[in-house]
Amino acid sequence: MSNPHVLILGAPGAGKGTQSRRLVEHFGVEHVTTGDALRANKQMDISHLDLAYDTPGEYMDAGELVPDEVVNEIVKTALEDADGYVLDGYPRNESQTEYLDSITDLDAVLYLDVEEEELVRRLTGRRVCENCGATYHVDFNPPEEPGVCDECGGDLYQREDDTEETARERIQVYEENTAPVVEYFRDAGVLVEIDGEQTPDEVWEDIRDALE
Ligand code: AP5
Ligand code: MG
Ligand code: ZN
């Protein structure tokens, strides 16, 4: 597939970011991820929308969804600039799914299936490089030197929403809002279901098989 349009679905901690990096490397596509885009704009002033909170960061630290108006705009701009892409973290509800359908076409929809307790273990042990974004896990995928990125030597940090309490809240929000999105693509007959509890290499093999 050249310049594929890939959507990767899965609960918080399912491995979307981890596998997206491999898709980017293998297919040369853009990684379009609302989570990273919002983390880079946590303090953005959205008070004009007159909603519950005045910045994306307040929604994120509570484990809640950032309003559609904010997220749709980010995705529209990012997709306009991308040739091929892997879309990660969007759409997360029905209205985002409809919006996406109105602005682009998808070539493949992947779903990484992982059960809840494994998700919590993955989220609470995750560490991220503040310089290059590489993702580690203190037990499942530790860096050679604790706190230091193998790839670039950058410092590793823990995301503010990766406490056990917020992780469980995010999984709950996912079940309520995003699980129906998975069902929608399953019913449409386009969902490629992948066992996300395998090792990262095994998950990647299944993804490559599905796309080639
Ligand atoms: P976002 O950043 O998208 O977070 P998320 O969906 O909760 O997903 P994660 O990034 O936590 O998990 P992942 O699947 O990428 O897992 P990873 O590969 O890192 O969103 C954050 C917040 O932003 C939301 O809560 C919301 O507030 C807001 N937001 C974002 N998009 C939005 C939208 N569209 N609408 C509204 N609000 C939005 O892996 C996790 C860990 O597991 C790592 O430590 C990794 O090393 C490890 N791991 C990965 N694969 C494996 C494996 N196979 N075996 C063992 N360990 C593994
Ligand atoms: Mg991610
Ligand atoms: Zn790094």
Side-chain angles (χ1 to χ4, degrees):
M1 231 183 261
S2 66
N3 306 329
H5 293 180
V6 180
L7 171 61
I8 190 161
L9 296 168
K16 303 182 296 295
T18 301
Q19 298 298 330
S20 290
R21 279 177 86 87
R22 298 190 184 211
L23 284 160
V24 167
E25 223 172 89
H26 189 79
F27 289 102
V29 293
E30 296 281 328
H31 186 198
V32 176
T33 162
T34 46
D36 288 358
L38 290 167
R39 269 185 290 285
N41 292 284
K42 275 183 105 168
Q43 304 308 327
M44 184 170 66
D45 182 7
I46 54 170
S47 57
H48 59 283
L49 296 174
D50 214 13
L51 298 166
Y53 301 117
D54 291 337
T55 61
E58 288 169 89
Y59 289 92
M60 299 171 82
D61 291 344
E64 292 172 28
L65 297 185
V66 175
D68 293 342
E69 297 96 308
V70 178
V71 185
N72 287 346
E73 193 55 36
I74 290 173
V75 171
K76 181 162 188 277
T77 308
L79 294 191
E80 276 168 1
D81 294 341
D83 206 350
Y85 59 77
V86 51
L87 182 56
D88 157 8
Y90 181 101
R92 273 174 136 96
N93 59 26
E94 196 185 322
S95 105
Q96 292 181 11
T97 308
E98 283 168 12
Y99 185 75
L100 180 65
D101 185 50
S102 76
I103 58 170
T104 192
D105 289 313
L106 298 169
D107 296 311
V109 184
L110 310 171
Y111 168 58
L112 305 180
D113 190 12
V114 176
E115 62 91 28
E116 177 159 352
E117 289 314 307
E118 174 68 11
L119 295 172
V120 173
R121 281 192 291 274
R122 288 185 185 183
L123 291 169
T124 52
R126 170 167 54 193
R127 298 292 183 273
V128 184
C129 175
E130 65 175 22
N131 181 43
C132 76
T135 298
Y136 299 86
H137 189 284
V138 290
D139 299 315
F140 307 146
N141 176 29
E144 274 170 38
E145 197 184 321
V148 181
C149 179
D150 293 344
E151 286 179 34
C152 77
D155 287 338
L156 304 185
Y157 73 98
Q158 182 167 27
R159 268 169 53 174
E160 282 170 29
D161 59 352
D162 277 347
T163 60
E164 174 161 356
E165 191 192 349
T166 309
R168 289 198 185 275
E169 178 62 29
R170 286 158 58 204
I171 293 166
Q172 180 79 25
V173 167
Y174 169 86
E175 286 301 334
E176 275 167 29
N177 298 273
T178 316
V181 174
V182 175
E183 289 310 311
Y184 167 82
F185 286 108
R186 182 180 284 127
D187 290 347
V190 297
L191 195 70
V192 178
E193 299 198 45
I194 291 172
D195 176 3
E197 294 195 16
Q198 309 174 89
T199 66
D201 286 347
E202 288 165 343
V203 174
W204 170 238
E205 253 177 63
D206 284 358
I207 290 178
R208 234 181 25 205
D209 286 352
L211 297 181
E212 279 169 357

